[in-house]
Amino acid sequence: MKTVIKHVSCDADRAKNVYRLKEILVGCDVFTNDNLKSFDVTLELLRKYRNDSILYVEDDAFLCNDFVCKSNNIINKHQHHVVQFMDVKKTNYQTMFANGSTYCMNVCVYIPKWMAEFMCDNHIEYQQNSIHPTSTDMFLRWCLVQNKSKYLSVRPNLAQHLPFNSIMHKGASRGRKSIYFIDDYEKGL
């Protein structure tokens, strides 16, 4: 498995966070290309690592205490499934498999090799037929649906979304965060 941080912005806060993430995710790769749009950077990243499974972490992720151990335990049990470590759903539930059509938020997600390959091989069809042709999380949702696959939604979430301005959607709320982040959950917040 390759652990990859996707960094697409020259923003100072995101750059500081990438440095912090690298300290947690020892040995990870940082994948950046400021000449490309976010979707294109993701696609280039998938192409580079398509022969491996990927722990995909975006530059606006905040990881829980002991993330590496906790995430590896889950991935080792579910290595053939997409595993989502952060979501913004308000519904309270335990870790469960969810229908691909409900997938949203790529802040921190494990992508098995077969899915990385499928994404590389089918991005043109998605972009030609989607009303969200540049959305990376909608692309992963589309791929899950095409394969009639479920994904593992981990609760409480092991990652949180930092309140940085969205690169993809300039008007998006900075409050897109999980109310079930494990560090907050364990503290009773």
Side-chain angles (χ1 to χ4, degrees), residues 10 16 20 36 42 59 101 104 114 124 127 135 137 177 179:
C10 296
K16 285 181 201 172
R20 191 186 59 73
L36 297 175
T42 300
D59 60 7
S101 62
C104 186
W114 71 267
I124 293 172
Q127 289 181 296
S135 174
D137 55 346
K177 60 185 267 181
I179 60 174

Side-chain angles (χ1 to χ4, degrees), residues 43-115:
L43 190 56
E44 192 174 302
L45 179 157
L46 289 166
R47 285 181 181 136
K48 181 174 181 178
Y49 300 105
R50 76 178 286 158
N51 294 322
D52 215 333
S53 56
I54 303 165
L55 177 59
Y56 171 95
V57 181
E58 293 189 341
D59 60 7
D60 56 359
F62 182 85
L63 305 178
C64 71
N65 293 321
D66 205 17
F67 173 83
V68 172
C69 181
K70 290 174 181 175
S71 63
N72 283 341
N73 285 338
I74 294 167
I75 290 167
N76 288 338
K77 293 175 188 169
H78 303 285
Q79 59 189 321
H80 299 294
H81 294 94
V82 170
V83 179
Q84 184 183 43
F85 292 105
M86 186 273 169
D87 68 67
V88 293
K89 295 178 182 116
K90 305 291 188 225
T91 308
N92 189 5
Y93 56 85
Q94 298 298 313
T95 296
M96 67 174 202
F97 282 99
N99 289 328
S101 62
T102 67
Y103 184 86
C104 186
M105 295 298 279
N106 275 351
V107 172
C108 184
V109 60
Y110 167 77
I111 303 170
K113 178 183 176 204
W114 71 267
M115 180 58 83

Side-chain angles (χ1 to χ4, degrees), residues 22 29 31 50 93 138:
K22 284 173 50 179
D29 290 347
F31 196 87
R50 76 178 286 158
Y93 56 85
M138 293 298 103

Side-chain angles (χ1 to χ4, degrees), residues 2-8 14 17-25 28-32 41 45 49 54-61 63:
K2 295 300 291 183
T3 300
V4 184
I5 301 168
K6 181 181 107 174
H7 181 49
V8 294
R14 286 175 185 268
N17 195 51
V18 167
Y19 181 78
R20 191 186 59 73
L21 289 168
K22 284 173 50 179
E23 290 180 336
I24 296 167
L25 303 169
C28 71
D29 290 347
V30 177
F31 196 87
T32 186
V41 173
L45 179 157
Y49 300 105
I54 303 165
L55 177 59
Y56 171 95
V57 181
E58 293 189 341
D59 60 7
D60 56 359
L63 305 178

Side-chain angles (χ1 to χ4, degrees), residues 153-170:
S153 180
V154 176
R155 284 289 181 90
N157 294 160
L158 302 186
Q160 182 62 284
H161 186 255
L162 291 171
F164 299 154
N165 290 325
S166 175
I167 292 171
M168 294 285 300
H169 309 289
K170 298 299 180 199

